[in-house]
Amino acid sequence: MSDGETGLQLRSLIKKSGELEISLLDVPTPEPAEDEVVVRVEAAPINPSDLGLLVGAADMSTAKLSGTKQAPVITAKVPDGAMRAMGARLDQSLPVGNEGAGVVIKTGSSDAAKALMGKTVAMIGGAMYSQYRTLKARDCQPLPDGTTAAEGASWFVNPLTALGMTETMRREGHKALVHTAAASNLGQMLNKICIKDGIPLVNIVRSKEQAEILNKIGAKYVVDSSVPSFLDDLTAALVETGATIAFDAIGGGKLAGDILNCMEIAINKTAKEYSRYGSSVHKQVYVYGALDIRPIELPRGFGMAWGVGGWLLTPFLQKIGPADIGRLRQRVVNELKTTFASHYTKVVSLPEALDPANIAVYAKRATGEKFLINPNKS
């Protein structure tokens, strides 16, 4: 790679006028500093956390395509009611893509940087929907020999989120957990971790097809929220597992409240004495996603020992510190092709990522529809 090289980068802009614009810009690739490397990006997944930045609160049913085949531009309307939440990013062209993988093609002068030359690495740090990415050597994870960029691209967000859930469960004194939207890529990883580590896991899914995905990988407790017996099925699974902590990807509506109420019923089935304040066992729901953006409803039948809060990976990692982060990262690398294997339905180039037909699929955040961008795909 020669000095002054440029590469395409996907950018998302929300204008004060209430319009989203997604486009590709040719941007200079910064020269690596002493402790930095330049990576030719070959794989970057589209995660739900990326969609928040990529499309924001835009109504993608209003999306329009302009520009050329090689430099497409997507515009869409952001509803007036959603503009207030977008205030901090208005009129800023922002690069997208939390994680990815590729090959190191240039390095700075430090030993740590030089040791990565020519290696396939996984990366974290934003702006991954770019052909080239200059970043610190410490933000790169060398992949084992024989591992492709596509196999290593989803090494961080989903694997460490799933491990963070079991780690949080242990640290807060619970012995089993509940997960919603459980047939997702992340949910399948969580099942593999829990099976391997002997942690009872109650999976809540939204269809028979999703239940089958989890049954095939050995999940023991799978309950379907679309059937009339859902609350009874959930309570029975909670009695059997003793789960008192849940991680909820849905967010809005009644599900968090249903989980807390069923936990309380399950606890009371084995309670020795009645208390009008409910059980003294703490029940916790952590909301980590927003598949449903409605308000959270909590019909109060679960006593006074409970909590509902938000949970995100980055603050959790900051709390546990470098030694434990290193331990979790190493486990992901060791089990990249087994526990933490990701499956993609489609690999697209940067221009193809802006094809309205592709956006219509990946922006739905549907279970089993995971896209991978290869910025250097011709």
Side-chain angles (χ1 to χ4, degrees), residues 191-350:
N191 271 280
K192 290 175 185 170
I193 293 167
C194 288
I195 290 165
K196 199 174 169 89
D197 295 1
I199 299 167
L201 171 65
V202 178
N203 297 277
I204 298 176
V205 296
R206 291 174 286 182
S207 70
K208 191 171 161 226
E209 293 72 28
Q210 290 176 5
E212 280 164 7
I213 291 170
L214 294 180
N215 289 329
K216 273 187 190 144
I217 60 170
K220 188 172 176 188
Y221 304 99
V222 185
V223 294
D224 182 349
S225 63
S226 69
V227 301
S229 60
F230 167 58
L231 295 178
D232 292 336
D233 298 342
L234 176 57
T235 304
L238 293 170
V239 168
E240 238 178 282
T241 58
T244 45
I245 184 170
F247 288 87
D248 179 27
I250 310 292
K254 290 189 172 143
L255 189 56
D258 285 341
I259 292 168
L260 289 170
N261 278 311
C262 290
M263 283 177 176
E264 180 73 359
I265 294 164
I267 290 160
N268 284 329
K269 281 186 189 286
T270 55
K272 303 283 185 284
E273 57 190 50
Y274 168 75
S275 163
R276 64 199 171 103
Y277 298 113
S279 73
S280 59
V281 178
H282 184 77
K283 302 159 289 292
Q284 179 70 42
V285 175
Y286 283 118
V287 176
Y288 77 97
L291 294 174
D292 185 336
I293 55 172
R294 291 176 301 164
I296 297 171
E297 295 176 49
L298 299 173
R300 294 281 302 279
F302 37 80
M304 299 301 286
W306 58 277
V308 175
W311 189 97
L312 281 174
L313 177 59
T314 303
F316 169 74
L317 292 177
Q318 285 165 346
K319 197 163 69 180
I320 67 172
D324 281 333
I325 293 171
R327 173 174 58 84
L328 298 182
R329 273 173 63 156
Q330 194 54 53
R331 178 169 180 185
V332 176
V333 171
N334 294 347
E335 300 175 33
L336 202 50
K337 295 191 184 186
T338 52
T339 312
F340 301 107
S342 285
H343 305 285
Y344 305 99
T345 41
K346 197 165 187 181
V347 179
V348 294
S349 65
L350 283 170

Side-chain angles (χ1 to χ4, degrees), residues 99 123-124 152-161 313-314 317 325 329 332:
E99 63 181 341
M123 307 169 278
I124 187 74
S154 291
W155 76 289
F156 193 90
V157 175
N158 281 348
L160 286 177
T161 298
L313 177 59
T314 303
L317 292 177
I325 293 171
R329 273 173 63 156
V332 176

